Amino acid sequence: MDTLEANTHEILGKTEKRHTNEKQIHCDNDLLIRDTESNQNEGTVVHTGYRLDEESVREMSVSWKNVPGCGILLLLCYVLLSNLVNVMVKDLTSIPPVSLLFYRSLIMLGVSMPWAVAVNKPPFPPDMDRKEQGLLLFRGVVGFVNILASYYSLRYLNIGDQKMVASSRPVWVILFSKLFLKEHCGCIEVVLMVLMMTGVVIVVKPPYLFGSAAGPAYDEPAMWSALAVLFTTALSANTTIILRKMRKQHVASLTAA
């Protein structure tokens, strides 16, 4: 009997001890839940999650810069679209070039301004000084004159010849980048510039160099339009220098300005 009572007391003790441990575990869980709820009320957990979301959004917004060859693809798209526009302008002879330029500017404004508002990047941000604002204004005026001259020249020149004259732009970009940005300009660049300008002269065939018996040459309006394209192309090459200098500004601000 004594042994049975001892075993009974031992079993009851173990049972009570197990219930005590379970109560302690429940108490610890209740304390953990209260701590978690208090932390959530204080905003620590929610604030940490918001920070991670903000970092992920920032990474997604700049992920396109890490795409290999993204700049080259964008440049190819620009070349294809600009040539398509030239074909359309060449075909639309019933509409004045000024009207075509007006419609083009209106479409660009309708696309660039909502983009600038959406990303909160005005055309002239507060951190932009007067010099940079003046450069943007100069870029807009020169770009307007260059496109207007290009549209007028398409009335008198073939598309291939007009693009050949406009292709002298890299020559002026190299010269102005050397002059203003102090970039390197070696012998290879000089040889390429001479070859490109020689090709432009051969295409235009000025009468004072080739004479009237040198083959089919353009008349006087075509010559003046070709010279206008060449001059405005040289001026518009500064827009590339300006964009290079202001590359830290947002693209929406540079486009909307």
Side-chain angles (χ1 to χ4, degrees):
M1 292 293 294
D2 294 336
T3 303
L4 181 61
E5 290 179 358
N7 291 333
T8 303
H9 285 296
E10 184 178 358
I11 293 172
L12 291 175
K14 290 181 179 181
T15 305
E16 290 178 357
K17 186 176 181 180
R18 185 177 64 185
H19 286 300
T20 303
N21 292 334
E22 289 178 354
K23 289 180 180 180
Q24 184 67 30
I25 291 173
H26 285 299
C27 291
D28 293 338
N29 290 334
D30 292 337
L31 291 175
L32 180 60
I33 292 173
R34 291 194 188 99
D35 292 338
T36 304
E37 291 177 351
S38 63
N39 289 333
Q40 288 179 348
N41 293 330
E42 291 176 1
T44 55
V45 175
V46 176
H47 182 68
T48 303
Y50 173 77
R51 185 178 303 169
L52 291 175
D53 292 339
E54 184 179 359
E55 292 177 357
S56 62
V57 170
R58 189 182 296 111
E59 290 178 357
M60 291 175 61
S61 63
V62 298
S63 60
W64 63 272
K65 295 182 179 180
N66 299 325
V67 177
C70 181
I72 297 177
L73 292 176
L74 292 176
L75 185 60
L76 290 175
C77 292
Y78 164 75
V79 172
L80 292 175
L81 292 176
S82 64
N83 289 327
L84 179 61
V85 170
N86 289 333
V87 173
M88 295 172 62
V89 172
K90 183 69 174 179
D91 187 62
L92 296 173
T93 56
S94 60
I95 303 177
V98 178
S99 299
L100 294 175
L101 182 58
F102 172 76
Y103 296 139
R104 177 184 183 274
S105 302
L106 193 63
I107 294 174
M108 289 186 62
L109 184 65
V111 173
S112 60
M113 287 304 295
W115 181 25
V117 173
V119 298
N120 196 19
K121 295 295 181 180
F124 298 101
D127 58 344
M128 185 181 295
D129 55 17
R130 295 291 183 181
K131 182 179 178 180
E132 292 179 341
Q133 293 177 1
L135 290 176
L136 279 183
L137 288 176
F138 175 77
R139 168 182 171 267
V141 173
V142 170
F144 168 80
V145 175
N146 177 245
I147 296 173
L148 185 60
S150 299
Y151 285 1
Y152 268 109
S153 65
L154 288 173
R155 300 297 173 92
Y156 304 102
L157 301 175
N158 296 327
I159 295 180
D161 295 344
Q162 192 267 349
K163 294 302 292 183
M164 183 63 191
V165 176
S167 66
S168 63
R169 182 188 181 97
V171 175
W172 309 110
V173 171
I174 293 174
L175 290 177
F176 292 139
S177 63
K178 176 64 177 179
L179 181 61
F180 297 110
L181 300 180
K182 308 301 180 184
E183 293 188 356
H184 177 71
C185 180
C187 297
I188 298 178
E189 287 80 3
V190 174
V191 173
L192 292 177
M193 287 190 293
V194 172
L195 292 176
M196 292 184 67
M197 295 306 296
T198 303
V200 171
V201 173
I202 293 175
V203 168
V204 177
K205 293 182 180 180
Y208 56 85
L209 291 179
F210 291 86
S212 59
Y218 288 112
D219 54 3
E220 186 175 353
M223 289 294 301
W224 282 110
S225 62
L227 291 177
V229 172
L230 184 62
F231 178 72
T232 56
T233 299
L235 287 179
S236 65
N238 290 283
T239 61
T240 305
I241 308 301
I242 294 172
L243 294 177
R244 174 68 176 174
K245 183 177 179 60
M246 302 178 64
R247 60 186 180 274
K248 294 183 180 180
Q249 296 291 337
H250 198 275
V251 180
S253 298
L254 299 177
T255 306

